[in-house]
Amino acid sequence: MTNFHQIARDLFEVAVRRADPATALREALDLAPLPPLKNGGKNIIVAVGKAAVPMMQEALSLIPEPRTSLVVTNPENNININGVTVMLGSHPVPDEHSQKAGKAVIDLVQSATKHDRVIALISGGGSALAVAPAPGLTITDKAVVNTLLLNSGLSINDMNLIRQQLSDLKGGGLLRHAAPAQVHAFILSDVIGDDLRAIASGPTTAPIGSRADARRVMQEANIWDGAPKAVQTHLNAFDTLVEDPIQATNTLIGSNRHSLQAMRQATPQPINAHIVSDHLVGDVAQAAETIVAAAQTMQTDTPVALIFGGETTVQITGTGLGGRNQELALRVALLAQSRLAKGWCFLSGGTDGRDGPTDAAGGIVDADTVRRIQDRSGNVLNLLKNNDSYAALEMADALLVTGGTGTNVADVQVMMLPAK
């Protein structure tokens, strides 16, 4: 009998390896090397995000002295690098450590002269790991809004539109502080569709929208009234049009789609692999329905691997512990038990190795998962209602735990189906 569990795990590892930030950065610099600096200029290297450490390590092996370097990442991916300051922010909700990191980034790039070059290594998670509140706002204001956003069900683009308007660093803020130095950004995308303005809230790009746009999105999502008064005052003010003094050279070096393609190519024979969607977004309940419906139509005379990628959202209504991948896996298990023949296996995981505020990357479930939860006196529907997917999957020994991966290209899923 084919070990679908092991194959699913192996394919997840393939997705993570394809998103290796060091390899991706090296290939980008090999393809388009940075020109030598003149007039005594130096390289100022700033790496921000969950993949900041491996990106910095590779950059140091490729970019010559003189240089000054700073890393901002999450505690799970912390590694000491000789001669480099490594600062740890908080994710997914920023804290005072995130604010200190944001100030350090601004202070460093502000030291650049017109002869220097700022090299920005950007990856997912940067929105929370390095923050700089806009004038008149505090880190507490931003943390309150970030919690509202994470519980709102808004898309990542809408969330980052709002974050940009509350920041002195995002939405092109790094560019403004780095002027007049030239800026080269190398970006690992954790955003579906790879809109560079949304990755880490776009520190080296133009903003997604205006203050008025941010206000409208918050009102439509019914989170405006819960925002701090200072935030409301800031977003009610007229937009100030500031032309960016310089334009960055932004290079995309890795994405979710690349990882899905690697999963398909690595699927062992005789399993037929299909990329069903690279845009699995929106409410997690609907995403589970999409996956199970696709599985119902794809059962064939040979085993099948259905591959998905994206980033779903969860409406938080309870007080439990979990994340979007864990809840997606649990919802698929609940739907599939009555709609699919036994033998299937489903994995959903965040390529950064962390799903929500937990130590799990996601979940891996099968036709017996619901029964195992019930055998331990768990009620799946009640657990879902309380957003307690972590506890549910733990009962069934169905958590996917990998530790920090040092990369982040959003989420991947694979549904393994036996031959009909």
Side-chain angles (χ1 to χ4, degrees):
M1 180 178 175
T2 304
N3 188 343
F4 278 168
H5 276 254
Q6 188 58 54
I7 292 173
R9 290 176 181 273
D10 289 346
L11 292 180
F12 179 78
E13 291 300 320
V14 167
V16 171
R17 286 197 300 272
R18 177 59 184 83
D20 177 73
T23 301
L25 180 61
R26 182 170 61 252
E27 291 177 351
L29 287 172
D30 285 345
L31 185 63
L34 296 173
L37 288 170
K38 301 178 181 179
N39 301 314
K42 66 180 181 294
N43 290 300
I44 297 175
I45 312 173
V46 179
V48 179
K50 293 182 180 180
V53 166
M55 291 179 82
M56 178 62 78
Q57 289 173 318
E58 190 64 23
L60 294 178
S61 72
L62 299 170
I63 298 170
E65 298 276 8
R67 65 194 180 209
T68 305
S69 307
L70 171 66
V71 165
V72 178
T73 193
N74 55 320
E76 293 86 350
N77 291 325
N78 179 31
I79 297 175
N80 289 328
I81 307 174
N82 289 336
V84 177
T85 299
V86 178
M87 302 187 71
L88 305 179
S90 175
H91 187 277
V93 178
D95 62 6
E96 65 276 7
H97 299 291
S98 302
Q99 186 174 22
K100 290 179 181 178
K103 184 178 186 304
V105 170
I106 290 175
D107 289 346
L108 180 56
V109 301
Q110 281 183 336
S111 72
T113 71
K114 64 180 181 181
H115 302 300
D116 297 332
R117 175 170 53 210
V118 173
I119 299 170
L121 309 175
I122 307 297
S123 56
S127 291
L129 294 171
V131 300
L137 301 181
T138 67
I139 184 62
T140 301
D141 294 329
K142 287 181 65 73
V144 169
V145 172
N146 210 45
T147 299
L148 290 172
L149 295 177
L150 292 171
N151 295 341
S152 67
L154 286 171
S155 70
I156 187 65
N157 272 38
D158 280 343
M159 286 194 282
N160 284 341
L161 183 159
I162 295 163
R163 288 166 173 158
Q164 287 174 345
Q165 294 303 319
L166 305 180
S167 174
D168 193 33
L169 181 59
K170 301 172 176 65
L174 187 147
L175 284 183
R176 294 188 292 274
H177 290 297
Q182 56 181 298
V183 177
H184 291 258
F186 297 91
I187 302 170
L188 186 71
S189 174
D190 67 330
V191 173
I192 304 309
D194 302 328
D195 185 342
L196 301 187
R197 301 172 302 170
I199 303 164
S201 295
T204 62
T205 70
I208 297 171
S210 65
R211 293 186 190 189
D213 292 326
R215 184 173 65 246
R216 173 185 52 78
V217 170
M218 292 180 72
Q219 290 170 341
E220 291 176 352
N222 295 316
I223 59 174
W224 175 258
D225 290 341
K229 182 64 176 178
V231 169
Q232 295 181 2
T233 299
H234 178 77
L235 294 180
N236 275 326
F238 288 109
D239 285 296
T240 302
L241 298 179
V242 179
E243 184 177 349
D244 288 335
I246 51 175
Q247 294 295 319
T249 300
N250 290 308
T251 303
L252 180 67
I253 64 172
S255 71
N256 185 268
R257 180 69 185 185
H258 290 131
S259 287
L260 301 187
Q261 291 169 340
M263 292 171 71
R264 180 178 58 79
Q265 294 167 359
T267 303
Q269 294 295 324
I271 301 171
N272 288 324
H274 306 272
I275 298 175
V276 179
S277 174
D278 62 356
H279 203 80
L280 190 70
V281 297
D283 184 73
V284 68
Q286 182 56 53
E289 175 62 38
T290 297
I291 290 164
V292 174
Q296 287 181 288
T297 64
M298 288 293 293
Q299 298 181 58
T300 67
D301 292 335
T302 58
V304 174
L306 304 183
I307 297 169
F308 304 80
E311 187 168 294
T312 58
T313 55
V314 176
Q315 289 278 1
I316 304 297
T317 58
T319 60
L321 184 66
R324 60 180 179 265
N325 287 287
Q326 293 163 67
E327 184 155 326
L328 178 58
L330 185 58
R331 288 184 178 278
V332 166
L334 188 62
L335 291 176
Q337 67 171 344
S338 62
R339 292 166 57 179
L340 298 180
K342 282 187 174 291
W344 60 269
C345 171
F346 174 74
L347 178 149
S348 183
T351 55
D352 61 353
R354 182 177 179 180
D355 184 38
T358 77
D359 61 356
I364 180 166
V365 297
D366 57 32
D368 292 324
T369 297
V370 172
R371 177 190 56 77
R372 290 196 294 269
I373 295 170
Q374 293 170 340
D375 287 347
R376 297 191 62 180
S377 301
N379 184 305
V380 175
L381 290 176
N382 287 342
L383 289 162
L384 280 171
K385 185 177 181 180
N386 195 38
N387 298 115
D388 210 4
S389 53
Y390 185 96
L393 295 179
E394 190 174 38
M395 292 178 189
D397 193 25
L399 289 168
L400 177 67
V401 180
T402 64
T405 65
T407 191
N408 186 17
V409 291
D411 306 332
V412 298
Q413 295 84 22
V414 58
M415 170 66 85
M416 308 295 303
L417 300 170
K420 185 166 60 176

